Amino acid sequence: HALAVSAILHMDPRIVTNLKRSKQRVNAKGSRIPTMIALAKDGVKWKEVGVLLNTYLSLADDPYNSISADALIGATKIYQSIHSAMNGGVNQEWMLDANAAFAIAREYRDGILKRVSCSDCRIKFAHLIRDLNPSAPARCPAARQPGPVRGRS
């Protein structure tokens, strides 16, 4: 079954198996693979998407054409370690899981999620292509907040 699903989705069968296992370990409510739109609506989680995306891209060999199980699993572990260290073990409700990591990798591979440069601070951040207005400059979540922007000259 995992081989058929992986062939249809053009992904490594180990990802399908891992997602099935993680689905079996969730609470009674269940866990679904989140959509990027749902994550984008939550400003805090959207910042987390950027961290996880950058981690995945640093490990994946060909993220434009395929989803690497090893890179996805490694990126999720690294991201969760970074998240825990930055938050002192608190704010775990904002931490993304393997399902979110798969959604991020899938949306990146499919061209729906991209990394763009912030027009204010020049850092690269996750951005949904459907929300990208060519006439408006792309601004990262930090630049959209009131107050001074780091990195501006």
Side-chain angles (χ1 to χ4, degrees):
H1 186 256
L3 288 174
V5 172
S6 65
I8 292 167
L9 296 176
H10 306 288
M11 60 190 293
D12 191 307
R14 293 176 293 175
I15 295 174
V16 175
T17 303
N18 190 29
L19 288 172
K20 283 176 59 178
R21 286 183 190 145
S22 71
K23 178 104 173 128
Q24 293 166 353
R25 291 189 300 250
V26 297
N27 61 26
K29 289 182 183 177
S31 176
R32 295 183 179 170
I33 296 174
T35 65
M36 288 301 104
I37 294 171
L39 291 171
K41 288 180 181 178
D42 183 331
V44 174
K45 281 196 176 179
W46 192 248
K47 292 175 187 176
E48 300 289 316
V49 167
V51 175
L52 185 48
L53 174 63
N54 287 334
T55 307
Y56 173 70
L57 293 177
S58 71
L59 298 176
D61 289 330
D62 190 15
Y64 294 110
N65 296 310
S66 64
I67 298 173
S68 162
D70 293 334
L72 189 64
I73 293 165
T76 302
K77 288 179 181 178
I78 292 168
Y79 155 77
Q80 289 178 339
S81 295
I82 292 169
H83 176 89
S84 293
M86 296 290 292
N87 293 295
V90 298
N91 294 328
Q92 298 305 315
E93 70 271 9
W94 295 331
M95 186 184 303
L96 302 176
D97 62 9
N99 289 324
F102 171 74
I104 290 165
R106 179 194 61 214
E107 303 286 315
Y108 188 84
R109 178 201 64 199
D110 294 345
I112 296 166
L113 180 66
K114 293 288 183 189
R115 282 181 24 174
V116 297
S117 293
C118 176
S119 60
D120 289 341
C121 63
R122 304 288 182 242
I123 65 165
K124 293 228 179 220
F125 68 101
H127 197 79
L128 286 174
I129 294 304
R130 66 180 287 286
D131 292 337
L132 191 59
N133 179 351
S135 63
R139 297 179 72 217
C140 70
R144 285 187 235 132
Q145 293 177 353
V149 176
R150 291 182 188 155
R152 266 190 160 170
S153 321

